[in-house]
Amino acid sequence: MKRQKRDRLERAHAQGYRAAVTGRSKEICPYQNLDTRSQWLGGYREAMEDKGTGLFARGQ
């Protein structure tokens, strides 16, 4: 059971990261559960930090 929960949280984190990279708003988080929502927002924040450090190329 713990592995399934971890996989779900990892997937939420990855989806949040992808949402930020593609320029979507953090307000569109699809999760209501506090743990899952926190992971999604954590991924979103991580991507925004990566964008700030220049990891992703800006429009070419």
Side-chain angles (χ1 to χ4, degrees), residues 6-46:
R6 184 174 60 241
D7 290 345
R8 213 175 15 235
L9 295 178
E10 289 172 2
R11 192 172 359 162
H13 186 274
Q15 288 174 344
Y17 192 95
R18 260 193 314 272
V21 168
T22 59
R24 298 172 74 187
S25 170
K26 69 179 177 182
E27 302 300 321
I28 57 117
C29 177
Y31 298 103
Q32 300 303 317
N33 178 288
L34 184 60
D35 291 336
T36 314
R37 185 175 182 85
S38 294
Q39 285 296 315
W40 192 94
L41 290 170
Y44 190 93
R45 277 192 303 275
E46 185 179 328

